[in-house]
Amino acid sequence: QKEVEQNSGPLSVPEGAIASLNCTYSDRGSQSFFWYRQYSGKSPELIMSIYSNGDKEDGRFTAQLNKASQYVSLLIRDSQPSDSATYLCAVAGGTSYGKLTFGQGTILTVHP
Amino acid sequence: EAGVVQSPRYKIIEKKQPVAFWCNPISGHNTLYWYRQNLGQGPELLIRYENEEAVDDSQLPKDRFSAERLKGVDSTLKIQPAELGDSAVYLCASSLDYRDWQETQYFGPGTRLLVL
């Protein structure tokens, strides 16, 4: 089992729709959860971080964390073509103390 | 504030040749990371420095890879000799203090390596 797994892509949604990205992790000791966005040929850019169970909202982005289910998700409301990118889920803490463990990424395409 | 700087941005070499990558972290960031990202995968940590000390190099292939962070600022990652499987993007990241588990890591633009 991979340490961090993301829903397989690619994911395609129409402009204005909600994009839902999912991630599960295996280490119950994990404490920090991050979503990075990576445009093609560019470096990862942090868009959301979450540390406690529940929802965290930032503009059109909402991160959701359920530690009991070892599940973290990212919702993008009113998706725009500029949101088209690879989204990387990353986990820190537990056995990943001091480092980020990334999932394989989910490619999102928002079509006009 | 300047971000993480890396050079070169692209490198094409033949197998068995040596190659080196350079990274300058964000000013004041004590922790520096080198990641490798294969095509279609997430980044994987190679080595982490706290100031000039390598505190986690368990994933670094030590037979051919080496790294240093002299004076606890910029860092160099070297591969000698390079193999075809080393083709990847090498990312450098930095953070203030890795012991803060909420600490954000900031990534540089990466070096794209192609080994022929």
Side-chain angles (χ1 to χ4, degrees):
Chain A
Q1 181 187 8
K2 293 182 180 178
E3 293 182 66
V4 180
E5 286 202 64
Q6 297 184 234
N7 51 325
S8 58
L11 177 66
S12 180
V13 300
E15 185 174 355
I18 295 175
S20 177
L21 304 163
N22 304 315
C23 174
T24 58
Y25 59 94
S26 60
D27 184 355
R28 285 195 170 273
S30 300
Q31 298 172 305
S32 310
F33 307 87
F34 306 88
W35 284 99
Y36 281 81
R37 177 176 62 199
Q38 188 173 29
Y39 292 115
S40 180
K42 302 296 185 182
S43 60
E45 171 194 15
L46 181 68
I47 54 172
M48 289 288 287
S49 58
I50 187 166
Y51 312 112
S52 304
N53 281 328
D55 295 358
K56 179 181 178 182
E57 187 175 319
D58 183 1
R60 297 185 295 110
F61 298 95
T62 298
Q64 299 174 318
L65 175 62
N66 184 326
K67 290 186 177 180
S69 299
Q70 295 174 242
Y71 174 88
V72 59
S73 67
L74 179 70
L75 298 177
I76 306 174
R77 292 182 301 281
D78 188 24
S79 296
Q80 301 297 310
S82 59
D83 295 326
S84 298
T86 297
Y87 288 81
L88 296 163
C89 172
V91 173
T95 58
S96 294
Y97 181 75
K99 71 175 184 180
L100 292 174
T101 299
F102 285 87
Q104 76 275 26
T106 299
I107 298 172
L108 172 66
T109 301
V110 181
H111 53 87
Chain B
E1 179 182 289
V4 177
V5 179
Q6 289 188 248
S7 69
R9 295 294 309 278
Y10 305 91
K11 191 73 176 180
I12 301 174
I13 61 171
E14 293 187 349
K15 63 181 180 182
K16 300 185 181 180
Q17 293 300 306
V19 65
F21 316 123
W22 176 80
C23 172
N24 186 257
I26 293 173
S27 178
H29 281 195
N30 297 321
T31 307
L32 183 147
Y33 312 78
W34 283 103
Y35 288 87
R36 177 170 61 188
Q37 186 173 23
N38 292 312
L39 189 64
Q41 300 296 317
E44 293 180 310
L45 181 71
L46 291 174
I47 189 168
R48 181 180 79 220
Y49 280 94
E50 176 67 16
N51 296 310
E52 65 275 6
E53 181 183 0
V55 295
D56 183 357
D57 63 355
S58 58
Q59 300 301 312
L60 189 72
K62 298 181 181 64
D63 57 336
R64 297 183 299 107
F65 286 65
S66 64
E68 61 182 10
R69 190 184 184 195
L70 300 177
K71 301 181 181 179
V73 182
D74 53 353
S75 175
T76 302
L77 177 68
K78 298 178 181 178
I79 308 174
Q80 183 171 11
E83 296 179 351
L84 296 177
D86 296 330
S87 296
V89 177
Y90 290 82
L91 294 162
C92 179
S94 70
S95 66
L96 278 172
D97 186 347
Y98 80 93
R99 289 166 292 186
D100 180 355
W101 49 271
Q102 296 187 1
E103 188 60 48
T104 297
Q105 293 185 25
Y106 297 90
F107 285 82
T111 297
R112 292 181 174 275
L113 174 67
L114 178 60
V115 182
L116 301 176

